[in-house]
Short mmCIF file of all heavy atoms in Angstrom, two decimals:
data_model
loop_
_atom_site.label_atom_id
_atom_site.label_comp_id
_atom_site.label_asym_id
_atom_site.label_seq_id
_atom_site.Cartn_x
_atom_site.Cartn_y
_atom_site.Cartn_z
N ALA J 18 -81.09 36.95 -46.92
CA ALA J 18 -81.81 35.75 -46.51
C ALA J 18 -83.31 36.03 -46.46
O ALA J 18 -83.73 37.06 -45.93
CB ALA J 18 -81.32 35.31 -45.14
N PRO J 19 -84.12 35.13 -47.02
CA PRO J 19 -85.56 35.26 -46.86
C PRO J 19 -85.96 35.02 -45.40
O PRO J 19 -85.12 34.62 -44.59
CB PRO J 19 -86.13 34.17 -47.76
CG PRO J 19 -84.99 33.53 -48.47
CD PRO J 19 -83.74 33.96 -47.80
N ALA J 20 -87.22 35.26 -45.08
CA ALA J 20 -87.66 35.10 -43.70
C ALA J 20 -87.41 33.67 -43.21
O ALA J 20 -87.54 32.71 -43.98
CB ALA J 20 -89.14 35.43 -43.58
N ALA J 21 -87.02 33.54 -41.94
CA ALA J 21 -86.74 32.23 -41.38
C ALA J 21 -88.04 31.43 -41.28
O ALA J 21 -89.12 32.00 -41.17
CB ALA J 21 -86.10 32.39 -40.00
N PRO J 22 -87.91 30.10 -41.34
CA PRO J 22 -89.11 29.28 -41.21
C PRO J 22 -89.73 29.49 -39.83
O PRO J 22 -89.01 29.55 -38.83
CB PRO J 22 -88.60 27.86 -41.40
CG PRO J 22 -87.15 27.93 -41.06
CD PRO J 22 -86.70 29.30 -41.47
N GLY J 23 -91.05 29.59 -39.77
CA GLY J 23 -91.70 29.84 -38.49
C GLY J 23 -91.74 28.60 -37.61
O GLY J 23 -91.55 28.67 -36.39
N ALA J 24 -91.93 27.45 -38.25
CA ALA J 24 -92.12 26.22 -37.46
C ALA J 24 -90.82 25.79 -36.81
O ALA J 24 -89.74 26.00 -37.37
CB ALA J 24 -92.65 25.12 -38.36
N PRO J 25 -90.86 25.21 -35.59
CA PRO J 25 -89.64 24.66 -34.99
C PRO J 25 -89.17 23.46 -35.80
O PRO J 25 -89.98 22.82 -36.48
CB PRO J 25 -90.10 24.24 -33.59
CG PRO J 25 -91.57 24.04 -33.71
CD PRO J 25 -92.04 25.00 -34.75
N PRO J 26 -87.86 23.16 -35.76
CA PRO J 26 -87.35 22.05 -36.56
C PRO J 26 -88.00 20.73 -36.14
O PRO J 26 -88.25 20.51 -34.95
CB PRO J 26 -85.86 22.06 -36.26
CG PRO J 26 -85.69 22.87 -35.03
CD PRO J 26 -86.81 23.83 -34.99
N PRO J 27 -88.27 19.84 -37.12
CA PRO J 27 -88.96 18.58 -36.82
C PRO J 27 -88.15 17.67 -35.89
O PRO J 27 -88.73 16.95 -35.09
CB PRO J 27 -89.15 17.95 -38.20
CG PRO J 27 -88.17 18.64 -39.09
CD PRO J 27 -88.00 20.00 -38.55
N VAL J 28 -86.82 17.69 -36.02
CA VAL J 28 -85.97 16.89 -35.12
C VAL J 28 -85.21 17.87 -34.23
O VAL J 28 -84.26 18.49 -34.68
CB VAL J 28 -84.99 16.01 -35.92
CG1 VAL J 28 -84.28 15.04 -34.99
CG2 VAL J 28 -85.71 15.27 -37.02
N PRO J 29 -85.63 18.03 -32.97
CA PRO J 29 -85.01 19.07 -32.12
C PRO J 29 -83.50 18.90 -31.98
O PRO J 29 -82.77 19.88 -31.88
CB PRO J 29 -85.70 18.89 -30.76
CG PRO J 29 -86.91 18.07 -31.03
CD PRO J 29 -86.66 17.29 -32.27
#
Side-chain angles (χ1 to χ4, degrees):
Chain J
V28 189

